[in-house]
Amino acid sequence: MASTGDLEPTHYPARRAAQVALHYLNTHHGSPFRVFGLQQVHKASAEDVAAGGRKYKLDFSVTDWGSGSAGPALRCSADVLFPRTERHSAPEVQLHCEALHQINSTAQEEDAFYQKYISPDSTVSARDIPDSFGNMSEEMQPFWRLARVAASFIMLRESSENTEFNMAKVASVTQQESSEEQLMLEFVVLLHDFPSQEIVQWKLLASWSPDRGVRVLQTEWQPRCPHATKPPN
Amino acid sequence: MRLYLAVFALLAAVHCEELFNGDQVLRIHAESENHIQILKKLERDVDSGLDFWTHAVSTEQPVDIRVPHSSLYALKDFLKKNNIPFTVIINNVQEHLVREREEMVRNAKMESKTKSFNFAAYHDLETIYNFMDTLVASHSNLITKVNIGSTYENRPMYVLKFSTGGEQRPAIWIDAGIHAREWISHATAVWLADRIATDFKENRAPVPSILSQMDIYLMIVANPDGYVFTHRSPNEFYRLWRKSRSATSNPKCHGVDLNRNWDAEFGGPGASDDPCAEDYRGPSAQSEIEVKNIVKFIMSHGNFKSFMTLHSYMQLLMYPYGYIGIDAPDWPELHDVATKASKALNSWHGTVYKVGSIFHTIDQASGTSVDWAYLRGIKYSFAFALRDTGEYGFLLPADQIVSTARETWFALRYIMKYVCDHPY
């Protein structure tokens, strides 16, 4: 179902495209102390493109979930191209956010976090973040954010015009042996797709350091017991 | 109210073992300035033993006097001689005090149960059902609990009826928890139940005025089986369960999406026919007993004017249609009401909700409750998707329950008042 031309910013086509831009933003600028969320879409339009895809132009605002409701909103603009190919391929995003480098630095927190967990003795392991009641210990928050950022790589890759992903919860985090001075973390994350309401499970291996940021090394779709629901694409 | 205070003051006296056996409280209706002067003179006489609960000021206000037993006949005689009308409003003060005291102790116990109820926490089904009973007991003049049928796993489905009387008054329906994992909806409905009761008791507008003309029906848990299932374990298979718990044609997969099972373009796009899917519509419209029970109740009542359902997440205030993208006939009005309601919601905490039809804000969805209600002529039908917009999603921290409930109340209150002011 297609809409071309100006889009209603409060309707789902614009919102889904904006969410894709958010995933892209988080893969580039997310950290254990920074995850961006969509605040609202101001303007949106879409057009078919020559190669057979659809390109969305978006004007939207984002906030850093880490700063809570007190945080400032950043104004962003993005082009999001959903290719039309036989097999699904990842959308392509071009993104620009104003004042991205002016937001409060989290270098100190990142460093402290890194130092704490890079030691060879560190063996972090936890389940259900947050728990059923939305609770998460302060210690787990940076791990939750790291999972969210790492999951953004998957969500970005798996997105189409017919999906809208968020991370529902972190089923588990297990620290692996550090490699090349990177924190190595194995996550099992549960993604929620809003249109189909499906919960999709992914296992992933991610690395992080203050210098290199988040990298996702391996991803593996996992069937959920007892029945296997394939990912929407 | 003053009567209540006076009785309370007496209670203190009773504690000091003063007895009021045989005393009566008379209500004097002074009809002239002359009567007022007579009563004023009577009040000034401190040896009379008369206890003036209200003072003689004007003919507009009755004067209440507690009269000791020994002075009863003399006073009644006096009033008759002067043609001052009166009525006996408390026949035996001592008996009245004892009854009042017993009721106050009962109420205090009940109130402290509801006051001590932790609204800032998620509760299991049993706790919520106990809360309902406590609430009904504390507000027995306003609320009754109606059993509208059983679930697939044979649990009772309860609706709280808020009513000040009348016969089948025009009514407002609010349900929560039709999707089990959307815990903020149940938690919000629990808070709302208490809030409506309290606003009525404390005479806070617009609730008393709404309830003088309409009834409110609030179903806190529309999918009890699913809700119990989500409490079984923190494991996501349980906690993130959405549907009912009925057996399906696939032995490996249970449950129907109760918000795709309504007789409103059932079978259309926007729902699945795969029993393993989260939006599985079920084998036929109203195949699910939970949906059947609600439909039967609303149809046999026959006088609902508004139907509202609480979900999460995404912060949306939606109206019909879900099954199709064309505007509903009442679109301009519904959009206007929803927009103003979302502004009211926003005024509390700054939370931004988007307004639109289900079709346009979420996606095409067939067999939804809101479409069913609207197509049955219940014009003011709305669906809420509560906090948040994806950060915590279904696992919204409990410390957001009360602020979510309060802002939702601002919107609901606006809509209910609008419905009340626009009968059809």
Side-chain angles (χ1 to χ4, degrees), chain B residues 83-325:
Chain B
N83 287 317
I84 305 178
F86 65 92
T87 50
V88 178
I89 57 171
I90 297 180
N91 198 33
N92 185 328
V93 175
Q94 183 64 21
E95 274 176 27
H96 184 89
L97 282 176
V98 167
R99 272 200 320 269
E100 284 261 3
R101 190 215 190 111
E102 284 170 358
E103 196 187 320
M104 277 166 68
V105 166
R106 261 200 320 272
N107 281 343
K109 274 209 187 111
M110 286 303 174
E111 273 185 46
S112 76
K113 267 201 210 162
T114 47
K115 277 203 177 80
S116 65
F117 186 86
N118 186 2
F119 293 100
Y122 294 108
H123 299 288
D124 63 19
L125 188 72
E126 189 185 338
T127 310
I128 292 180
Y129 277 16
N130 287 337
F131 163 81
M132 285 187 210
D133 288 337
T134 308
L135 194 73
V136 168
S138 316
H139 302 270
S140 51
N141 58 331
L142 178 68
I143 314 176
T144 46
K145 186 176 81 171
V146 184
N147 184 332
I148 69 163
S150 298
T151 64
Y152 181 84
E153 291 176 340
N154 223 9
R155 293 185 175 86
M157 292 177 69
Y158 293 126
V159 181
L160 293 178
K161 175 185 179 184
F162 296 75
S163 178
T164 59
E167 273 293 317
Q168 222 81 322
R169 276 186 180 161
I172 294 165
W173 171 273
I174 305 169
D175 70 66
I178 209 168
H179 290 138
R181 60 192 179 198
E182 298 167 9
W183 280 17
I184 186 59
S185 72
H186 317 69
T188 292
V190 164
W191 187 94
L192 288 172
D194 182 74
R195 179 61 189 246
I196 296 171
T198 312
D199 273 12
F200 178 78
K201 180 166 162 202
E202 296 176 3
N203 208 23
R204 196 177 298 142
V207 171
S209 132
I210 292 170
L211 286 171
S212 71
Q213 298 162 76
M214 301 187 78
D215 293 341
I216 298 171
Y217 288 84
L218 177 60
M219 173 165 248
I220 296 177
V221 189
N223 179 7
D225 293 351
Y227 192 59
V228 168
F229 195 76
T230 60
H231 278 86
R232 279 237 227 135
S233 155
N235 177 283
E236 54 86 10
F237 181 73
Y238 296 92
R239 175 59 182 87
L240 295 180
W241 189 262
R242 168 180 168 92
K243 303 187 285 182
S244 68
R245 287 296 303 162
S246 54
T248 71
S249 56
N250 185 330
K252 286 212 212 107
C253 298
H254 289 249
V256 166
D257 184 339
L258 293 177
N259 201 28
R260 299 288 186 278
N261 187 246
W262 299 70
D263 186 13
E265 299 300 315
F266 179 89
S272 171
D273 58 6
D274 174 6
C276 300
E278 293 281 13
D279 61 349
Y280 173 51
R281 65 170 69 101
S284 60
Q286 287 177 205
S287 58
E288 299 309 285
I289 184 72
E290 292 86 354
V291 170
K292 231 198 292 274
N293 288 338
I294 298 175
V295 166
K296 206 162 54 130
F297 181 76
I298 292 180
M299 294 304 280
S300 63
H301 181 284
N303 205 17
F304 276 92
K305 299 299 179 188
S306 175
F307 180 96
M308 293 187 277
T309 179
L310 305 183
H311 293 251
S312 77
Y313 57 93
M314 202 50 91
Q315 291 172 204
L316 303 167
L317 215 185
M318 300 167 283
Y319 43 78
Y321 295 116
Y323 83 93
I324 198 171

Side-chain angles (χ1 to χ4, degrees), chain A residues 174-207:
Chain A
T174 318
Q175 185 169 12
Q176 310 293 302
E177 198 179 311
S178 302
S179 158
E180 295 174 27
E181 296 179 341
Q182 305 296 303
L183 276 186
M184 300 291 285
L185 297 163
E186 181 192 86
F187 291 110
V188 175
V189 297
L190 291 147
L191 308 180
H192 173 237
D193 172 50
F194 199 62
S196 67
Q197 289 292 327
E198 292 295 337
I199 303 291
V200 191
Q201 183 167 311
W202 286 87
K203 181 156 118 178
L204 61 103
L205 180 65
S207 71

